Amino acid sequence: MAAPAHAGKTLDAIKARGQIICGVSTGVHGFSAADSGGKWSGLDVDVCKALAAATLRDPEKVKYVPLASQQRFTALQSGEVDLLARNTTFTLTRDASQGLSSTVANYYDGQGFMVPAKSKLKGAKQLKGQTVCVQSGTTSEKNLASFSKANGLNIKPVVFEQFEAANAAYFSGRCVAYTTDASGLASIRMKEAKNPKEHVILPDLISKEPLGPMVRRGDDEWFAIVKWVMYGLLEAEEYGVTQANVDKMKASTDPVVQRLLGGGNEDTGKLLGLDKEWLARAIKATGNYGESFERNVGPASALGLPRGLNNQWNKGGLMYAYPIR
């Protein structure tokens, strides 16, 4: 039999302070944003809440630290935050050379372009010689340069350090187009445009942007906890375990559901340095992955994004949980 796992130094520190410190964005609606009362919500925020529920038995025991693009990796490397859940793209450079580890993608995206509807532009290659607003310190800046060079477009990037400054410049007409992840464009359009219908997100995607939480290298136990909480929320959706039926499903005789919820003699928590109800609490806190998606970014939300690539693997998407066993 496998021996119980030691919790690891990050989880030890979290338990000692009674709080997870979560690095989030400075405000991307649907992913991580605070309302007027300072209450955070979003797809990434749900990752932080699920982890707090799994490890501290309370989804509210999270301190949210808003980080600009240029600050985010330093904040994680230095230990200022326990994880980065900040619509961040997994890349080789970030994973292999910055002392960080990519966990599990919680949103598969691609970089796009937003233009005023009155521009009549229909595709990204029509931006030849045009100005495009972009934020520095992001994959978007590098992707834009590569796309322009590969297609001989001579696009003129207008670069801003701050997210808010890039938004303001685009909506004031300083740039012909705005580029970032397509989900981010949808968030910006909904939140910042006087009339969202006056702005169009072009159909072209010029990159692959798998977004998800990152942790510091060197703490395999914490890395495993973050990874398996996320896989657990995906597996819960696949097996029909929801926020509303968690307690009822604990009586299920399905071995997979028993392993998910700590039913019968099943106890996967001891392998992670947690108790047997770790995942049941996470699901109760945020719902399964599908519930979190629908509430924060899905077709019925203010963002109105289609499920698309973020559907389960057996429904034509890329979401595929490693088995909880």
Side-chain angles (χ1 to χ4, degrees), residues 6-21 55-57 61 82 222:
H6 171 61
K9 59 183 180 291
T10 303
L11 184 59
D12 285 345
I14 288 167
K15 286 183 173 180
R17 81 169 83 94
Q19 193 178 53
I20 288 178
I21 304 176
T55 59
L56 298 174
R57 302 171 184 250
K61 288 187 175 180
D82 299 314
W222 178 237

Side-chain angles (χ1 to χ4, degrees), residues 5 21 42 68 117 131 136 138 142 155 160 164 182 190 211 219 273 302 305:
I21 304 176
T131 52
S136 64
T138 63
K142 293 180 180 179
I155 288 172
F160 299 89
E164 294 79 9
M190 183 211 74
L211 310 178
D219 189 335
L305 296 172

Side-chain angles (χ1 to χ4, degrees), residues 121 126-132 153-158 176-177:
L121 293 170
Q126 292 179 318
L127 291 168
K128 188 169 185 177
Q130 300 294 344
T131 52
V132 177
L153 298 178
N154 192 31
I155 288 172
K156 297 175 175 61
V158 183
V176 171

Side-chain angles (χ1 to χ4, degrees), residues 229-244:
V229 165
M230 295 183 68
Y231 280 142
L233 298 178
L234 279 168
E235 190 96 318
E237 180 186 13
E238 185 176 341
Y239 282 84
V241 182
T242 68
Q243 192 172 33

Side-chain angles (χ1 to χ4, degrees), residues 28-106:
V28 177
H29 193 86
F31 288 83
S32 54
D35 64 17
S36 58
K39 185 176 175 61
W40 286 85
S41 65
L43 193 68
D44 288 333
V45 169
D46 279 355
V47 173
C48 306
K49 288 182 174 180
L51 283 165
T55 59
L56 298 174
R57 302 171 184 250
D58 185 345
E60 300 306 316
K61 288 187 175 180
V62 183
K63 177 183 178 182
Y64 298 99
V65 178
L67 298 168
S69 295
Q70 298 84 357
Q71 303 171 303
R72 54 186 164 169
F73 300 124
T74 304
L76 182 56
Q77 291 159 348
S78 67
E80 181 185 343
V81 297
D82 299 314
L83 76 152
L84 194 63
R86 194 203 166 283
N87 56 300
T88 295
T89 303
F90 296 159
T91 68
L92 182 149
T93 302
R94 291 170 177 178
D95 190 73
S97 70
Q98 295 187 341
L100 309 176
S101 291
S102 307
T103 60
V104 178
N106 69 335

